Amino acid sequence: ECLTAPKDEL
Amino acid sequence: MNAFRLAGDMTHLLSVVVLLLKIHTIKSCAGISLKTQELYALVFAARYLDLFIHFISLYNTVMKLVFLASSFSIVWYMRRHKIVRRTYDKDHDTFRHHFLVLPCLALALLINERFTFREVMWAFSIYLEAVAILPQLVLLQRTRNIDNLTGQYVFFLGAYRVLYILNWIYRYFTEPHFVHWISWVAGIVQTLLYADFFYYYIMSWKNNVKLELPA
């Protein structure tokens, strides 16, 4: 389901 | 966190430090585009909306706060500080930056990872960051005497983008679900905008002559 990674970048 | 990502963040931080050094110590913002700085402040404000909602790491929170505080204080210095603002090259910094904001917002409404307020603002910040350097590059082209700190500032900013691309390549192969098409495409566009500048920067460094961009 979760295809995109968490937004942990700046 | 991989080495490319850390190096990217550090060059980004270094670019801000170089700019603050110029503004705070030399009390000059000559050759720096206020339009680009305003766009960056908007970029960070839009992207870090989740700052107090999602905790990722102490590193992440601190860096976000640093970028927010530094971008807004640079804008403040250039607009309000009585000595710094006199060094601002207003006549050459004529890029119509407001016309970048609306298309980026429209694009974010059309292309986003999810149609929610935060996701649209995130995509908007990514698109806007990709083009935010344009007023600065135009100003550099019009500046006869680009001082070292200004050249270094733009160089570090460009280096940060290159390192982020290497970081994405690394993450793509090491993290099975790491997919962010929006930031990848926008990030590549953003990096390509620096290509011309990099060429002249490296040439001037190699030949040991003053940096000058052809008009």
Side-chain angles (χ1 to χ4, degrees), chain B residues 87-116:
Chain B
T87 62
Y88 169 47
D89 190 4
K90 198 180 175 190
D91 297 336
H92 289 116
D93 191 21
T94 54
F95 195 96
R96 310 283 275 273
H97 67 322
H98 294 112
F99 289 118
L100 292 174
V101 177
L102 228 52
C104 288
L105 193 60
L107 194 62
L109 286 164
L110 289 171
I111 306 170
N112 47 62
E113 290 189 351
R114 266 173 98 176
F115 196 71
T116 62

Side-chain angles (χ1 to χ4, degrees), chain A residues 10, chain B residues 12 39-49 67-68 71 125:
Chain A
L10 303 161
Chain B
H12 193 186
L39 291 179
Y40 279 137
L42 185 58
V43 162
F44 293 132
R47 190 176 306 165
Y48 300 158
L49 285 172
F67 287 131
L68 272 173
S71 63
S125 82

Side-chain angles (χ1 to χ4, degrees), chain B residues 108-174:
Chain B
L109 286 164
L110 289 171
I111 306 170
N112 47 62
E113 290 189 351
R114 266 173 98 176
F115 196 71
T116 62
F117 177 69
R118 276 220 334 263
E119 285 294 334
V120 169
M121 291 315 276
W122 179 81
F124 166 67
S125 82
I126 297 289
Y127 300 142
L128 193 62
E129 188 188 352
V131 291
I133 194 66
L134 285 173
Q136 180 63 66
L137 291 176
V138 169
L139 180 59
L140 278 189
Q141 242 174 22
R142 293 171 177 171
T143 307
R144 282 289 127 236
N145 258 319
I146 304 171
D147 61 88
N148 288 340
L149 285 178
T150 304
Q152 279 153 11
Y153 166 67
V154 180
F155 176 77
F156 284 132
L157 216 49
Y160 139 66
R161 297 315 310 179
V162 173
L163 288 161
Y164 253 61
I165 290 179
L166 298 177
N167 151 59
W168 293 329
I169 294 168
Y170 181 86
R171 290 188 83 169
Y172 182 78
F173 288 109
T174 53

